[in-house]
């Protein structure tokens, strides 16, 4: 496909200096997440080579010294001289920002756009990087230190093989931690193996006391992924797989229904997970709804009097993977993880509806089981809405009056307004006194706001604490939810650093995740980071967020034991301290809540909030009369 592809295709854009100055701009952060980003970047390059059809094996290794290498048996990064830079292509790729050869359109058919910051970023953020390439009859070696050439490219042996090996030592001056996590990498490797049919990825951990290995090869690609996700679920019919290409968009979809209430749908564009969805997901959802409605009408599973299934109804219990490959992916949204290409919507819609209707026609018993599941979902939805309407009619969200406990801010501009949800009345009192009245509102929540069984919407709204929160936020809830009515741009959860605090935080996060998800995806939800310790010496005061920080301050400033106070709760801080350490926008740290890993979040909430499923099942059983008369 790319036989004339050579060094000249590689476009030279910028130098590496900005990367070391502002690493966050390129890899998001310098914490554990940012650190692993380096691995994703190097792995993505090898995966690209596999997607292009040139590589079958990839080995990822965590070495004994903590460095990481990725080896692949692809074509090898070109080693000939690059015309624009006068240095070899491989050195260009490693030292010039955005020189991956992915930007000229002459290289790979597709490549990851989101993580595609280029391997030069990895080089820039590593104290050492070594690259060994086998191709063109030779074995070549080149090394860099802090991004700068340390060992020029040299042929060190003859070889008739072709492969690329990139090994890097993350720079401890840049990263807060340089310790890689086997399970994090394993999860990623598994996911990439699912998405890249036929590639074998092996992962080794050679670190002392951590020796471990895993290998992934999925003949079935994303169908295997669906099987894996549904392992412990009660499945409906077989797993279905469709694959086709339309308008230069290649589309793969695997799906299977289950008896679950929740949907598990993951979408990918060029092997990058698109947490915020996008055009591939809307194309799929529209086609799924339309096709099932048509099929069920034509086969009288939907009677004349029945309303159509909603998109929600047909997704209940559905496990699906939608994976598209596009030449020029446009990533949008808050976290740049939403696919924007409009041609993808039509391609997915067309391919899926054609193949799915064919499948339903050829597999009537699966079709009937799916229709039955959708009808059940509709009944449950209507019953739940009736229950909620009753609550609302009874005045749950009555009076547009703001709750009495809310100490609102003076500003009416959401852009500069913040709502602090504070645990307990005493901390609430300190927060009210310490805050910036102009921009910061305080809503104290008393005690356990909810128990886990009460996360159903109508019961939630019957809870005064939640009701206050919903009214204060201004967005309403359920079908009437509107993000644009949010009264505060930032909603900050401020709880104690103890078990109760963690519980309340989890409950609130569940509430936001389940019923106000747009607030999470739009980045409106934050968690305050109050200090754990106060250290004092004479008139000087320091605050420490972690034990490590406390130790460091103790050593650096020679603070004796009795001058260290451990904060057990927010209530122990006076208003000035609370302001200074936790609320003052100039000095505080806020952790932004993102649904960065939808699968993990879903799992966490499911495990912690397993009460969510039970009451709903009970609820449906209560309405069994409605459900039983399904004559299918
Ligand atoms: C540019 C062009 C060619 C291959 C590669 C890059 C390449 C990059 C990486 C990164 C990790 N593994 C890799 N394998 C290959 C193709 C050059 C040709 O036509 O032979």
């Amino acid at each position: 496909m790319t036989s004339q592809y050579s060094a000249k295709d590689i476009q030279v854009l910028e130098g590496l200096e900005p990367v070391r100055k502002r690493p966050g701009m390129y890899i998001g952060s310098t914490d554990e997440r940012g650190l692993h980003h380096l691995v994703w970047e190097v792995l993505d390059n090898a995966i690209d080579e596999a997607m292009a059809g040139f590589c079958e094996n990839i080995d990822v290794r965590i070495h004994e010294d903590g460095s990481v290498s990725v080896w692949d048996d692809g074509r090898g990064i070109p080693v000939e001289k690059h015309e624009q830079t006068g240095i070899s292509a491989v050195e260009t790729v490693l030292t010039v920002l955005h020189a991956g050869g992915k930007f000229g359109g002459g290289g790979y058919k597709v490549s990851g756009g989101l993580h595609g910051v280029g391997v030069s970023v990895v080089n820039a953020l590593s104290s050492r990087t070594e690259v060994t390439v086998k191709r063109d009859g030779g074995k070549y070696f080149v090394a860099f230190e802090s991004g700068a050439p340390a060992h020029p490219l040299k042929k060190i042996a003859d070889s008739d093989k072709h492969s690329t090996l990139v090994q890097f030592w993350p720079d401890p001056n840049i990263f807060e931690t340089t310790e890689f996590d086997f399970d994090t990498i394993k999860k990623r490797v598994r996911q990439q193996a699912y998405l890249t049919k036929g590639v074998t990825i092996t992962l080794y951990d050679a670190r002392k006391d951590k020796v471990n290995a895993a290998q992934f090869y999925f003949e079935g690609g994303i169908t295997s992924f669906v099987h894996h996700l549904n392992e412990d679920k009660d499945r409906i019919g077989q797993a279905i797989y469709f694959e086709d290409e339309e308008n230069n968009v290649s589309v793969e979809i695997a799906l299977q229904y289950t008896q679950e209430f929740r949907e598990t749908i993951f979408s990918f564009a060029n092997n990058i997970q698109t947490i915020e969805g996008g055009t591939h997901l809307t194309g799929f959802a529209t086609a799924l709804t339309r096709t099932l409605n048509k099929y069920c009408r034509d086969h009288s599973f939907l009677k004349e009097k029945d309303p159509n299934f909603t998109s929600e109804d047909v997704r209940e219990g559905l496990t699906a993977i939608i994976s598209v490959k596009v030449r020029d992916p446009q990533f949008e949204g808050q976290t740049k993880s939403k696919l924007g290409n409009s041609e993808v919507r039509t391609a997915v819609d067309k391919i899926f509806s054609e193949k799915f209707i064919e499948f339903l026609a050829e597999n009537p018993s699966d079709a009937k089981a799916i229709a039955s599941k959708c009808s059940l979902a509709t009944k449950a939805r209507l019953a739940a809405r009736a229950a909620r309407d009753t609550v609302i009619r009874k005045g749950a969200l009555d009076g547009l009056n703001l709750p009495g406990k809310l100490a609102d801010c003076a500003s009416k501009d959401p852009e500069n307004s913040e709502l602090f949800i504070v645990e307990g009345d005493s901390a609430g009192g300190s927060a009210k006194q310490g805050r910036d009245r102009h921009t910061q509102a305080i809503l104290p929540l008393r005690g356990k706001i909810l128990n886990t069984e009460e996360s159903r919407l109508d019961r939630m709204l019957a809870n005064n604490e939640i009701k206050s929160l919903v009214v204060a936020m201004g967005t309403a809830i359920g079908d009437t939810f509107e993000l644009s009515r949010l009264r505060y741009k930032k909603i900050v959860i401020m709880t104690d650093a103890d078990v109760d605090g963690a519980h309340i935080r989890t409950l609130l996060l569940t509430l936001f995740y389940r019923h106000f998800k747009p607030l999470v995806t739009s980045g409106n939800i934050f968690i305050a980071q109050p200090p754990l310790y106060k250290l004092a010496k004479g008139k000087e005061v320091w605050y420490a967020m972690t034990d490590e920080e406390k130790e460091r301050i103790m050593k650096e400033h020679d603070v004796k034991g009795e001058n260290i106070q451990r904060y057990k709760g927010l209530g122990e801080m006076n208003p000035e301290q609370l302001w200074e350490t936790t609320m003052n926008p100039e000095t505080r740290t806020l952790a932004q809540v993102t649904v960065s890993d939808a699968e993990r979040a879903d799992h966490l909430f499911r495990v912690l909030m397993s009460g969510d499923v039970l009451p709903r099942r009970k609820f449906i059983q209560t309405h069994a009369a409605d459900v039983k008369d399904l004559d299918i």
Side-chain angles (χ1 to χ4, degrees), residues 165 372 479 629:
L165 173 68
S372 167
D479 298 344
D629 69 9

Side-chain angles (χ1 to χ4, degrees), residues 2 5 45-46 49 72 75-78 108 135 164:
T2 57
Y5 192 112
N45 282 299
E49 192 66 3
D72 70 77
R75 291 167 293 179
I77 305 179
Y108 304 118
R135 63 175 283 151
T164 302

Side-chain angles (χ1 to χ4, degrees), residues 169-352:
W169 287 256
D171 193 335
N173 296 317
I174 287 175
F175 291 95
E176 290 155 37
T177 169
T178 53
E179 184 157 329
F180 289 99
D181 181 59
F182 183 83
D183 288 330
T184 304
I185 299 179
K186 181 173 151 189
K187 204 171 145 197
R188 175 70 169 215
V189 161
R190 175 195 280 124
Q191 193 190 62
Q192 292 299 317
Y194 281 131
L195 293 168
T196 322
K197 229 187 299 188
V199 68
T200 301
I201 314 184
T202 313
L203 170 63
Y204 304 92
D205 192 342
R207 290 172 298 183
K208 271 212 177 60
D209 305 323
K210 290 193 177 171
V211 173
N212 210 337
Q215 188 173 60
F216 300 100
Y217 165 83
F218 298 110
E219 187 140 13
I222 59 171
T223 315
S224 308
F225 201 167
V226 167
H227 285 307
H228 167 69
L229 292 167
N230 282 353
E231 242 156 30
D232 304 324
K233 298 177 185 163
D234 196 356
R235 283 150 288 188
I236 299 174
Q238 56 192 300
I240 315 165
Y241 173 79
F242 304 129
E243 172 186 32
D244 209 345
E245 201 175 311
E246 172 84 24
N247 262 331
N248 273 326
V249 181
S250 104
V251 178
E252 278 186 274
I253 295 173
L255 64 108
Q256 184 178 37
Y257 277 90
T258 73
Q259 298 291 3
E260 300 278 300
F261 297 116
R262 213 157 284 156
E263 62 178 64
T264 308
I265 303 179
F266 296 127
S267 61
F268 299 84
N270 296 1
N271 284 18
I272 309 281
Q273 189 171 1
T274 36
I275 312 262
E276 294 177 85
T279 48
H280 47 348
L281 195 61
T282 39
F284 168 74
T286 321
L288 179 74
T289 315
R290 193 182 61 239
T291 308
L292 278 172
N293 272 315
K294 174 160 175 35
Y295 181 86
C296 290
R297 288 265 172 233
D298 290 352
H299 293 78
S300 303
F301 292 131
L302 280 173
K303 302 280 182 313
E304 213 168 310
K305 62 172 170 43
D306 295 329
N308 269 349
F309 296 136
T310 65
S311 177
E312 245 187 335
D313 297 338
V314 297
R315 288 195 320 237
E316 183 170 303
L318 178 65
T319 301
I321 307 292
I322 298 124
S323 171
V324 300
K325 309 266 166 69
V326 225
R327 197 180 286 272
D328 181 22
Q330 261 116 52
F331 291 102
E332 306 169 345
Q334 188 78 15
T335 55
K336 291 273 171 285
S337 64
K338 180 175 182 180
L339 186 68
N341 304 53
S342 60
E343 77 275 16
V344 174
R345 186 184 307 112
T346 24
V348 173
D349 186 317
K350 181 162 187 285
I351 291 171
F352 181 70

Side-chain angles (χ1 to χ4, degrees), residues 608-623:
L608 293 175
M609 304 276 100
S610 52
D612 192 31
V613 173
L614 266 180
R616 193 151 178 218
R617 186 166 289 153
K618 268 191 231 147
F619 182 67
I620 287 192
Q621 280 158 2
T622 319
H623 294 269

